[in-house]
Amino acid sequence: MGGVEQVINQIARGANKLGVKTDVLSLTSERVPRTIEINGYLAHRARLDVQIASTGFSASVFLRFVQLAKKADVIHYHFPWPFMDLIHFASRVKKPTLVTYHSDIIRQKHLLKLYRPLKWKFLGDMSRIVATSPNYFETSNVLANYKNKVSVIPIGLDKTTYPVPSEEKLAYWRSKIGPKFFLFVGVIRYYKGLHILMEAAQGIDYPIAIVGAGPIEEELKSHATKLGLRNIHFFGHLPEEDKVALLTLCYGVLFPSHLRSEAFGISLLEGAMYGKPMISSEIGTGTTYINIADETGLVVPPSDPLALRQAMQYLWEHPEQATEMGRRAEGRYWEHFTADQMVGEYVKLYRELVET
């Protein structure tokens, strides 16, 4: 699961415990059953026919959506997915609607010009819009146009849904990477800032573990080789137990995302959940709602390899301060970012929409 999928999973499984039946509709290119049960909710999959500019299109999803929407009391969208904006209007299903606004559209500037009228129409038609952090709400030019119907519900995680790594698994990773290392977890995309991390890693020998796969993975590996970086370890996509083992063992979590496409940072929140000091960039999004500068970790300017290197050096050389930052990070997780808090707010919103 990527970040958005994890959010949907947490909402659906949590809402089920509060008596809300949830059907999740998504696209897939794999040959899988059309409908399966996951964690107490139904996941429906329509065939992905083509993907253009990170947007999936499907001929069969229209009928599936109409069938599911007719049974629903509330329809909950996740933005951005421009194709579903089209489905929303084409289906003409008149039900209360809300959309979780995960991110502004940053990269596809030319296509955005074509999409913009549909985007405004879609957001304007929503009963409610949910921003995932006060930081993103305050800095999004798009959301500024809908202040009267925006609610802020921070993303939350349920730690009990994460596996507990065995002693054998922990011992394996200690022997593989050593007792002290930094960790990055995430899909390897252009906005994750890993090229900045490569530059920052020059001149230091701290082990850095990179967990995840993605479209620019091979490009980054080649870049690390050209720079002669022997302290960077690419582990690709790992099973959940291995990921949690590394989160448990790591000294600190690195999150160098440098563009607003990184609207929140699920793996950054996972670092806080496991009590780790964090290093992130100030990009005006939820990353700095999770990581409070000089309290739960360090926050550096985006696209600044020197500042990132200095932040790593500071944490590495000040273990007592790093430990205290990690303790405060975990405390902030329990105070603001549990799945129970997030789900409770969504269920409350669902009921408000049904009753109005």
Side-chain angles (χ1 to χ4, degrees):
M1 290 186 180
V4 174
E5 293 88 349
Q6 181 64 263
V7 172
I8 295 169
N9 174 58
Q10 296 278 348
I11 295 171
R13 71 187 297 163
N16 177 62
K17 296 175 183 176
L18 299 179
V20 177
K21 179 183 176 183
T22 302
D23 292 274
V24 176
L25 177 61
S26 63
L27 304 185
T28 180
S29 58
E30 301 175 5
R31 291 184 176 273
V32 294
R34 283 164 51 92
T35 301
I36 61 171
E37 183 175 342
I38 304 175
N39 299 320
Y41 64 89
L42 294 179
H44 307 268
R45 284 84 66 88
R47 179 181 175 82
L48 172 65
D49 295 321
V50 65
Q51 195 156 4
I52 302 172
S54 301
T55 296
F57 292 83
S58 167
S60 62
V61 76
F62 178 83
L63 180 59
R64 299 292 300 282
F65 176 81
V66 170
Q67 291 169 338
L68 293 168
K70 283 182 177 178
K71 298 188 297 180
D73 297 300
V74 175
I75 300 171
H76 185 170
Y77 297 102
H78 291 264
F79 181 96
W81 184 11
F83 179 61
M84 192 48 65
D85 299 12
L86 291 172
I87 297 297
H88 167 75
F89 289 111
S91 65
R92 298 184 179 182
V93 177
K94 300 300 180 183
K95 297 288 179 72
T97 54
L98 75 151
V99 59
T100 298
Y101 190 94
H102 289 279
S103 172
D104 296 334
I105 296 175
I106 305 297
R107 195 180 192 188
Q108 293 86 5
K109 293 184 179 179
H110 296 298
L111 291 175
L112 180 58
K113 292 179 182 179
L114 297 174
Y115 170 54
R116 189 176 287 117
L118 176 61
K119 178 186 72 174
W120 293 126
K121 185 174 177 62
F122 174 75
L123 293 173
D125 203 50
M126 292 295 100
S127 307
R128 296 292 285 275
I129 300 172
V130 174
T132 58
S133 72
N135 299 45
Y136 210 88
F137 181 26
E138 291 166 7
T139 58
S140 171
N141 293 329
V142 174
L143 292 180
N145 292 278
Y146 303 100
K147 287 184 177 181
N148 62 325
K149 61 179 178 181
V150 173
S151 300
V152 175
I153 303 179
I155 290 171
L157 299 175
D158 182 354
K159 192 174 183 180
T160 66
T161 65
Y162 285 69
V164 177
S166 66
E167 285 302 320
E168 291 78 11
K169 187 68 70 176
L170 293 170
Y172 169 80
W173 284 109
R174 282 193 198 97
S175 66
K176 192 166 184 67
I177 196 169
K180 188 176 179 182
F181 61 93
F182 285 110
L183 175 66
F184 167 88
V185 178
V187 179
I188 300 180
R189 300 187 188 279
Y190 69 95
Y191 59 81
K192 294 292 184 179
L194 289 173
H195 61 291
I196 303 161
L197 177 58
M198 300 293 113
E199 301 293 331
Q202 294 184 95
I204 56 176
D205 59 359
Y206 316 144
I208 299 171
I210 296 178
V211 175
I216 63 168
E217 183 179 1
E218 295 306 316
E219 179 184 329
L220 278 171
K221 288 179 179 178
S222 298
H223 189 47
T225 300
K226 288 178 182 177
L227 294 175
L229 299 175
R230 297 185 179 182
N231 55 328
I232 303 286
H233 306 274
F234 290 91
F235 292 117
H237 177 75
L238 293 176
E240 279 293 292
E241 186 184 0
D242 293 86
K243 184 186 86 170
V244 173
L246 288 168
L247 279 166
T248 302
L249 295 171
C250 74
Y251 183 71
V253 168
L254 303 177
F255 205 76
S257 296
H258 63 302
L259 299 174
R260 281 180 60 82
S261 301
E262 189 67 77
F264 191 81
I266 297 296
S267 58
L268 188 66
L269 182 55
E270 289 174 333
M273 186 170 69
Y274 281 91
K276 304 299 175 178
M278 299 166 282
I279 301 175
S280 59
S281 300
E282 177 54 83
I283 50 178
T285 72
T287 61
T288 318
Y289 185 59
I290 299 168
N291 185 22
I292 307 300
D294 302 321
E295 179 179 326
T296 62
L298 301 175
V299 178
V300 301
S303 303
D304 189 335
L306 177 59
L308 180 56
R309 182 187 305 134
Q310 290 172 339
M312 286 191 285
Q313 288 172 328
Y314 180 85
L315 285 187
W316 194 268
E317 295 168 4
H318 296 84
E320 290 185 6
Q321 290 91 330
T323 298
E324 178 60 21
M325 286 177 175
R327 187 191 65 78
R328 289 195 290 257
E330 185 175 4
R332 186 165 171 78
Y333 158 74
W334 288 110
E335 184 177 356
H336 297 286
F337 300 111
T338 65
D340 284 347
Q341 290 168 299
M342 174 184 70
V343 171
E345 289 299 311
Y346 271 110
V347 171
K348 179 181 176 182
L349 186 52
Y350 292 159
R351 289 177 174 150
E352 288 178 4
L353 289 174
V354 170
E355 291 168 2
T356 56

